Amino acid sequence: MEIAQLLTNIVNTKFDIQFTGLSLNASKIQPGDIFVALQGSKSHGADYADQAIDRGCVAILVDAKNLECNVPTIRIDNLSDHLPTLAKTYYSDATKVELIGVTGTNGKTSVAHFISQLLNKLGTNTGLIGTLGIDKNSQQSSNTTPDILTLYRALNEYYQHDIKTAVLEVSSHALAQNRIEGLNITQAVFTNFSQDHLDYHHSLEMYKSEKIKLFQLDSLKSVVLNVDDASFKDFDIASKDVEKFNYSIDDFDDIKISEYGFITHLNGFVFEVPFLGEFNLMNVLTAYNTLKALGFKDEQVIPLLHQLSPPPGRMQKNAQQLIWIDYAHTPDAIEKAIITLQDHYPEHKIRVIFGCGGNRDKDKRGKMGKITSKLADTIILTNDNPRDENPQAIIDDILSGIDDSYEVIITENRQTAIENAVITLGEDECLLIAGKGHETTQIFNHETIESNDNDMVLAAIIEAARLKKIKNKQR
């Protein structure tokens, strides 16, 4: 496509340039791309023009400032407002993919994975876009919902590779920033609502109002709603003009705790849900009802529910010990994770390692400390992703919610905290490592380091075995 065609009805240009893609991120430019340089939260995209040129961009669109460099540049005022038009003009096949949008404070990743697994098992070749990345695609993203150009590019690639259905985790940030504008979202799924991202949205009502936008899209054919959530009515009212598939934990006729999860009765079927935690029962119900909304029958879907597998870092159990890694980073999520272990291991004490992310919602830190201290027997506070904040200041915020009489272990180095906890874990204890889940890096002010909770647990187990062997020889 020529750049003049891309910019029709936006701005006139005399440049005669052929291009092969659009990107907002200079580090992800592919040869032949146009670099779209916008003002970011900390810097302007134009500051990375040389990097984009080195990677092969053929032109730069820039917002609200003049730019001189070695490729043609076109200034477009209010450029961000034109992103949906740019995306739809060049990546026109993206809007042909039918999307299932999943939103909620917790459970988005698990529900999206379960829906995708079920569709694939039922013969629908399905794409998956969310916190863990972009499945079956050459595009990459570190956001739950990619930026609009990356998202359109990925969906365009899906369609060209005969993937006509995709499951998309939809974050509140994406809704606030119009990243999904113009896409063919036909099903909207609501998991739950609780506190998160108040650093961005400033209030729970503003946060909720962004989530609700997903259920007001004209493209919707049906919605799937959690009746048990306190905010159900708000989402129900917002989606009043479409077919609704509501679900509740009471949909199960019977639930019994098993060694690996739950034995459940649902609509005449008896099967095991192979995950711990009532929240996972809800995640499975959400996926099941989404398949019903898509027209599948019970006899097709329910026999597959026991075959589901969890995404990485979601109540991920170590195979050798009673150690779980979970992405829980909100008050609601960490409470549910601890209660889950109490329900399944009532005779065991609960040890919890967690921290809170820097440059994020500060109000939840004390709440997470209070909840954890009321439920867990031992707390080890450590670093999550401190980012630009002082790690000790973050820990102090968490401590503000913990009674002074509760003895807290503080070990800022996450690897040391995990190693010590694993090595000293008693036979009557469960260990929950919360906050980072699947993540493989840790973000500090001036550096990002490799950091994988699961790898650290495995290394600590090996070290514990070595120390035990030495101790036995000394006897």
Side-chain angles (χ1 to χ4, degrees):
M1 181 180 284
E2 291 189 357
I3 195 169
Q5 183 181 352
L6 173 73
L7 300 179
T8 301
N9 300 323
I10 297 178
V11 66
N12 293 323
T13 178
K14 296 180 180 180
F15 289 119
D16 181 17
I17 301 169
Q18 293 279 344
F19 69 97
T20 56
L22 300 164
S23 179
L24 285 161
N25 190 327
S27 67
K28 295 181 181 178
I29 288 287
Q30 299 176 23
D33 280 355
I34 290 174
F35 176 42
V36 182
L38 296 176
Q39 177 63 53
S41 59
K42 295 183 179 180
S43 60
H44 198 290
D47 299 336
Y48 303 92
D50 289 342
Q51 182 183 10
I53 293 169
D54 289 343
R55 291 184 61 85
C57 85
V58 295
I60 298 176
L61 306 182
V62 63
D63 182 20
K65 65 185 301 182
N66 295 320
L67 178 67
E68 293 185 7
C69 54
N70 295 331
V71 299
T73 64
I74 302 171
R75 173 174 170 166
I76 302 175
D77 291 337
N78 301 313
L79 177 56
S80 60
D81 294 341
H82 297 293
L83 289 179
T85 299
L86 296 174
K88 286 184 281 187
T89 299
Y90 187 70
Y91 299 115
S92 57
D93 284 339
T95 59
K96 299 175 184 177
V97 179
E98 288 200 3
L99 292 174
I100 301 160
V102 181
T103 199
T105 304
N106 299 309
K108 292 187 298 295
T109 299
S110 293
V111 168
H113 273 253
F114 294 164
I115 294 169
S116 178
Q117 288 175 40
L118 291 171
L119 285 172
N120 287 327
K121 290 177 184 296
L122 289 165
T124 300
N125 189 16
T126 307
L128 177 61
I129 301 174
T131 305
L132 300 186
I134 304 176
D135 186 38
K136 302 177 184 177
N137 203 276
S138 65
Q139 302 307 304
Q140 297 179 349
S141 174
S142 58
N143 296 323
T144 295
T145 310
D147 69 75
I148 189 170
L149 297 184
T150 300
L151 182 53
Y152 266 78
R153 191 170 193 158
L155 293 172
N156 198 74
E157 187 175 315
Y158 274 158
Y159 189 84
Q160 293 172 355
H161 288 84
D162 204 34
I163 297 175
K164 308 297 175 59
T165 303
V167 187
L168 174 67
E169 289 184 53
V170 184
S171 69
S172 57
H173 293 71
L175 290 159
Q177 297 167 12
N178 299 318
R179 296 183 207 167
I180 63 168
E181 185 171 332
L183 294 175
N184 185 26
I185 299 180
T186 56
Q187 271 76 33
V189 180
F190 168 60
T191 61
N192 50 65
F193 181 82
S194 62
Q195 181 176 335
D196 201 10
H197 304 305
L198 296 192
D199 56 300
Y200 183 85
H201 299 292
H202 306 299
S203 74
L204 281 172
E205 286 307 311
M206 291 177 68
Y207 175 38
K208 186 186 294 184
S209 69
E210 297 297 344
K211 292 283 190 187
I212 281 175
K213 287 180 180 178
L214 180 64
F215 299 83
Q216 299 171 323
L217 297 176
D218 292 337
S219 57
L220 292 181
K221 297 178 182 178
S222 65
V223 299
V224 179
L225 302 173
N226 177 4
V227 175
D228 295 342
D229 191 85
S231 295
F232 161 73
K233 286 187 178 180
D234 296 322
F235 288 85
D236 183 44
I237 292 170
S239 52
K240 61 184 178 182
D241 295 328
V242 296
E243 187 176 10
K244 298 171 184 175
F245 292 80
N246 299 337
Y247 65 96
S248 164
I249 194 68
D250 293 334
D251 292 345
F252 287 109
D253 299 310
D254 189 39
I255 301 171
K256 287 187 173 64
I257 291 178
S258 67
E259 182 179 359
Y260 301 106
F262 301 91
I263 303 297
T264 62
H265 295 233
L266 178 64
N267 295 351
F269 292 83
V270 180
F271 59 97
E272 183 173 36
V273 175
F275 315 115
L276 304 187
E278 184 176 296
F279 62 89
N280 265 322
L281 288 177
M282 294 299 289
N283 291 339
V284 170
L285 272 180
T286 312
Y288 157 68
N289 278 276
T290 304
L291 271 288
K292 284 178 64 177
L294 293 170
F296 292 94
K297 306 298 183 184
D298 280 0
E299 55 268 25
Q300 295 175 284
V301 180
I302 294 180
L304 300 176
L305 297 181
H306 78 281
Q307 299 178 23
L308 294 172
S309 57
R314 270 60 180 179
M315 287 306 284
Q316 178 180 348
K317 185 184 179 302
N318 176 268
Q320 303 173 55
Q321 294 194 25
L322 298 181
I323 300 172
W324 284 262
I325 294 170
D326 192 63
Y327 191 52
H329 59 279
T330 66
D332 182 63
I334 201 163
E335 179 178 29
K336 288 178 177 176
I338 298 170
I339 290 174
T340 289
L341 296 181
Q342 290 175 333
D343 288 344
H344 286 266
Y345 297 90
E347 304 301 320
H348 286 65
K349 295 179 180 178
I350 309 297
R351 185 184 294 200
V352 180
I353 297 175
F354 80 103
C356 287
N359 306 121
R360 297 296 186 265
D361 180 4
K362 293 184 179 182
D363 182 64
K364 71 180 181 181
R365 296 173 184 172
K367 293 178 180 179
M368 291 177 69
K370 182 177 182 179
I371 288 169
T372 306
S373 63
K374 287 185 177 298
L375 294 173
D377 298 283
T378 305
I379 295 177
I380 303 167
L381 294 182
T382 190
N383 285 336
D384 190 284
N385 291 312
R387 299 183 176 90
D388 296 335
E389 287 195 63
N390 182 321
Q392 184 58 53
I394 296 173
I395 289 174
D396 288 343
D397 285 342
I398 299 171
L399 287 170
S400 70
I402 301 175
D403 190 277
D404 290 341
S405 63
Y406 192 104
E407 187 174 344
V408 178
I409 301 169
I410 299 174
T411 308
E412 285 191 20
N413 184 291
R414 193 174 184 90
Q415 181 169 345
T416 302
I418 290 174
E419 287 177 349
N420 289 343
V422 172
I423 290 173
T424 61
L425 190 66
E427 293 183 359
D428 63 342
E429 285 185 294
C430 295
L431 174 62
L432 172 66
I433 304 171
K436 291 178 61 61
H438 64 283
E439 294 178 0
T440 57
T441 60
Q442 193 172 19
I443 306 169
F444 294 86
N445 189 7
H446 298 297
E447 66 174 342
T448 298
I449 65 171
E450 292 186 4
S451 178
N452 183 306
D453 285 357
N454 187 56
D455 288 349
M456 288 187 273
V457 167
L458 295 176
I461 289 174
I462 292 172
E463 176 63 11
R466 186 186 72 83
L467 293 174
K468 184 177 181 180
K469 188 175 182 180
I470 292 174
K471 186 175 181 180
N472 288 338
K473 283 184 177 179
Q474 292 174 343
R475 287 179 176 176

